[in-house]
Amino acid sequence: MRHFVIVGVIIAILTPLVYFGIDATHVMPIEASAQAVFVDWQWNLDMAAIAFLFSLVMVPLVYALIVFRRRKGDLGDAEHGQESRTLEMTWTVIPLVLVTVFAYLGAYSLGKTRLVAPDALEVQVTAHQWDWAFTYPAGFTSNELHLPVNRQVVLKMQSLDVIHSFWVPEFRIKQDVVPGQTTDYRITPTRIGNYKVRCAELCGASHAYMIRPVIVSTQADYDSWVRQQTAAAAALLAQGGPQAGQALVAQNGCGACHSLDGSKLTGPTFRGLFGSTVSLSDGSTVTADDAYLTESIKDPNAKVVKGFPSGIMPQFNLTDAQVKSIVAYLETLK
Ligand code: CUA
């Protein structure tokens, strides 16, 4: 009995020490969304249970090793007990109840993080190797995610190539972006500040650099940024020509597959492309003029360049005027 009391007391002392020890490492970054509150609540409960279980296993183990070790000259057999149904029932029923309670709590907090606000701001997210693009309700696209504070946002996420994963650690929630489907990501930012979205799914050579700024600001600051971006996008597109084309090429992430310096990536380089003679996979050749480039942007698989895979390049959502601007930009790279 004395041993049980001693072990019990040590467990009672060690459990909070382990818990606060884990807490002191600050593994979690600051809490910046309404959803993060439930994730952190669940996390703290789990850590408390883990601290207790760790102590429950380690304390009797180490205690027994020291107190019941074989003494010098002791050649006798150890005491051995008979099977105990009470003990078996105890260590079956208690964990069963605990696991069930934690499963319920997990489902409860998952439900809380998925609550839908009817007035949520909707932003389209396009992920591709290796960048993020955000299209706002006003119609412009940016590589920065700006969000007003204390308003729920729903990101409608699509991938142009492989599986990526949208993750802002301070928001806690993480969601895969899967080619061929649109996945939702709901968050209510609660802290004004600058964060970063990173990709949490190994997606190729530059996966580690798939990072873009996330800026949470007041509604007024957000509105003024939207006005400014809308005006800038309209001015640039109205102007047309190579500069608009260059902006569109950057916005749509064309550089991920088409280099500007002549090097070969997934697709042919843009450098020196305009006016050159291109060998196609069917053995024929074509001159890279306005008509060829326009067709290749609108229908990437109509003519496939020899030595490059077909069916890789996505069909981008571009107007005729935008395609014309892009071709005008390519002309400047000849
Ligand atoms: Cu995209 Cu990793």
Side-chain angles (χ1 to χ4, degrees), residues 47 62 151 157 175 214 226 236 283 290:
M47 284 306 119
V62 174
R151 177 174 173 195
M157 308 197 292
Q175 175 63 52
V214 176
V226 166
L236 190 61
D290 279 357

Side-chain angles (χ1 to χ4, degrees), residues 121-127 133-135 153-159 177 181-186:
L121 170 70
E122 195 173 305
V123 177
Q124 311 289 328
V125 177
T126 309
F134 307 99
T135 305
V153 59
V154 54
L155 304 183
K156 297 279 180 186
M157 308 197 292
Q158 285 182 305
S159 168
V177 191
Q181 49 177 274
T182 304
T183 45
D184 283 8
Y185 178 99
R186 275 182 196 278

Side-chain angles (χ1 to χ4, degrees), residues 110-233:
L110 182 65
K112 285 289 187 187
T113 63
R114 294 193 166 190
L115 290 177
V116 173
D119 66 336
L121 170 70
E122 195 173 305
V123 177
Q124 311 289 328
V125 177
T126 309
H128 62 85
Q129 287 170 321
W130 289 277
D131 211 347
W132 302 97
F134 307 99
T135 305
Y136 292 79
F140 65 87
T141 301
S142 168
N143 288 125
E144 290 182 355
L145 180 59
H146 284 245
L147 300 172
V149 73
N150 293 330
R151 177 174 173 195
Q152 191 178 81
V153 59
V154 54
L155 304 183
K156 297 279 180 186
M157 308 197 292
Q158 285 182 305
S159 168
L160 297 181
D161 36 50
V162 299
I163 301 176
H164 303 276
S165 185
F166 186 98
W167 186 39
V168 180
E170 291 82 359
F171 293 165
R172 300 291 189 274
I173 311 291
K174 184 165 72 175
Q175 175 63 52
D176 277 4
V177 191
V178 184
Q181 49 177 274
T182 304
T183 45
D184 283 8
Y185 178 99
R186 275 182 196 278
I187 213 76
T188 312
T190 50
R191 248 182 111 106
I192 291 174
N194 294 337
Y195 310 98
K196 279 176 188 155
V197 53
R198 54 204 80 213
C199 179
E201 185 75 51
L202 185 59
C203 57
S206 297
H207 153 74
Y209 306 107
M210 204 169 150
I211 295 176
R212 282 292 178 180
V214 176
I215 295 116
V216 176
S217 58
T218 61
Q219 182 74 43
D221 283 352
Y222 170 77
D223 290 341
S224 95
W225 179 80
V226 166
R227 271 197 301 276
Q228 184 197 323
Q229 291 293 310
T230 310

Side-chain angles (χ1 to χ4, degrees), residues 20-308:
F20 290 113
I22 297 172
D23 204 43
T25 60
H26 296 295
V27 279
M28 288 295 216
I30 49 165
E31 206 174 70
S33 79
Q35 289 73 11
V37 175
F38 300 103
V39 175
D40 288 1
W41 174 75
Q42 178 84 42
W43 165 269
N44 287 332
L45 274 181
D46 286 355
M47 284 306 119
I50 285 168
F52 172 67
L53 290 175
F54 175 82
S55 309
L56 187 67
V57 173
M58 295 315 286
V59 172
L61 177 74
V62 174
Y63 185 85
L65 280 173
I66 296 167
V67 176
F68 303 116
R69 69 188 184 278
R70 169 178 271 177
R71 316 279 158 159
K72 227 179 194 136
D74 177 8
L75 298 174
D77 205 354
E79 205 182 312
H80 73 277
Q82 295 295 322
E83 70 171 65
S84 161
R85 189 153 296 178
T86 320
L87 191 60
E88 298 261 1
M89 290 301 283
T90 311
W91 70 38
T92 305
V93 172
I94 293 178
L96 181 70
V97 171
L98 277 178
V99 167
T100 310
V101 168
F102 269 85
Y104 171 78
L105 293 176
Y108 170 79
S109 18
L110 182 65
K112 285 289 187 187
T113 63
R114 294 193 166 190
L115 290 177
V116 173
D119 66 336
L121 170 70
E122 195 173 305
V123 177
Q124 311 289 328
V125 177
T126 309
H128 62 85
Q129 287 170 321
W130 289 277
D131 211 347
W132 302 97
F134 307 99
T135 305
Y136 292 79
F140 65 87
T141 301
S142 168
N143 288 125
E144 290 182 355
L145 180 59
H146 284 245
L147 300 172
V149 73
N150 293 330
R151 177 174 173 195
Q152 191 178 81
V153 59
V154 54
L155 304 183
K156 297 279 180 186
M157 308 197 292
Q158 285 182 305
S159 168
L160 297 181
D161 36 50
V162 299
I163 301 176
H164 303 276
S165 185
F166 186 98
W167 186 39
V168 180
E170 291 82 359
F171 293 165
R172 300 291 189 274
I173 311 291
K174 184 165 72 175
Q175 175 63 52
D176 277 4
V177 191
V178 184
Q181 49 177 274
T182 304
T183 45
D184 283 8
Y185 178 99
R186 275 182 196 278
I187 213 76
T188 312
T190 50
R191 248 182 111 106
I192 291 174
N194 294 337
Y195 310 98
K196 279 176 188 155
V197 53
R198 54 204 80 213
C199 179
E201 185 75 51
L202 185 59
C203 57
S206 297
H207 153 74
Y209 306 107
M210 204 169 150
I211 295 176
R212 282 292 178 180
V214 176
I215 295 116
V216 176
S217 58
T218 61
Q219 182 74 43
D221 283 352
Y222 170 77
D223 290 341
S224 95
W225 179 80
V226 166
R227 271 197 301 276
Q228 184 197 323
Q229 291 293 310
T230 310
L236 190 61
L237 286 179
Q239 175 195 330
Q243 278 193 327
Q246 186 173 11
L248 287 162
V249 162
Q251 252 171 35
N252 289 284
C254 308
C257 298
H258 302 282
S259 77
L260 299 176
D261 62 1
S263 58
K264 183 182 167 177
L265 301 176
T266 310
T269 181
F270 284 159
R271 171 66 53 199
L273 173 60
F274 193 90
S276 68
T277 305
V278 178
S279 303
L280 301 177
S281 55
D282 64 2
S284 64
T285 58
V286 64
T287 303
D289 54 9
D290 279 357
Y292 165 75
L293 292 173
T294 303
E295 180 188 46
S296 296
I297 295 169
K298 288 184 167 178
D299 181 8
N301 295 314
K303 295 191 174 71
V304 176
V305 181
K306 198 174 168 185
F308 292 94

